[in-house]
Amino acid sequence: MVKMGSAFNLGKVFGIQFRLHYTWFIIFVLVTVSLSWQYFPFAYPGRGQLLYWVLGTVTSLLFFASVVAHELAHSLVSRINGIPVRSITLFIFGGVAQITREAARPGAELRMAAAGPACSLVIGGLFYLLWLFTRGVIEPIAALAEWLFIINIAVAVFNLIPGFPLDGGRVFRSLLWHFTGNYKRSTQIAVRVGQGVGYLFILAGILIVFLRPFGLSWFNGVWLAFIGWFLENAASSSYRQVQWQDALRGFSASQVMTSDSPVVPPNITVSELVQGYLLTSGHHFFMVTNEGRLEGILTLENIKSVPQQSWNMTQVKEIMTPVDKLKVAHPDQDALSVLEQMEENAINQIPVVSGDRVIGLIARDNLIRFLRTRSELGM
Ligand SMILES: [Zn+2]
């Protein structure tokens, strides 16, 4: 599963935080190297290697800008439809926009999903025109334009594969949704198609590795199978996400929190904490409060950071994560947005705070238990 973590902040465009996933560096280097070593020397022979590197790097950067434009198109259209976009993470195969919620109507989803591929097609068309005008006149620019024309069309076509969660899968779902009126069922079908497309890619990849048809190399097969694996994974994990969203819809933080979360005072020592609370309660997470006011939280990791011989001399408040560095939830906050908040910050627990009082705790396992119990009761 592709995690949203392991990404670098690039800065904000139109109020949207852009993040760069580390896999992007791998693809950037691969693209630049293959352009500079293979594509440009072949398309525009007899020049110095330095020129090829410059052309390769510029072309890679323009490819990157094309992907950003594709994602911006999604985001701007979704904003027009009243759905703000928090952040966009750029991955190896494009980007993932972190929209704050799903579209409420199939028409809005259709427009949001189609905007990206449409943008890629337009950019591809512009590079096609550039290629037409520079061909035979300014050869290096023509070679650059030709590659960017092809890659942008390829990005559009790849994203239009009708498997969820690709853009094409979203377009497909919005159409199903429009004609059946059933959001959940439409999502299930689009996800199944997405998994099917993933398995087809894997199968085709394996066949290529063993049979090598049409002069394809084993490397093409491995690459295809890898894309298939990625698609299957993305479909499955987005389905789990949709199930969660569906189950949590309509609940507030105060309804899913536990209010028996362990509370410890700030001035006890670590050894008192370990003896008096940690070993006996079995909890691995504590809220440090002073007369009901939250001062910080304490996890097993915090405790382990102190060597055992210092446990007698170290107070809890010295090693806790203080409240000003803490993510907190509000009691009437949407349970789903709390989950998203935990996912975004890669944390497993979040205190629920009303004013400056802690009233409960939401942990990931609580949410899972909450949902499981409800489904066992058939609710
Ligand atoms: Zn897209």
Side-chain angles (χ1 to χ4, degrees), residues 70-71 74 95 113 116-117 159 167:
H70 173 117
E71 295 307 322
H74 284 305
N159 277 292
D167 297 336

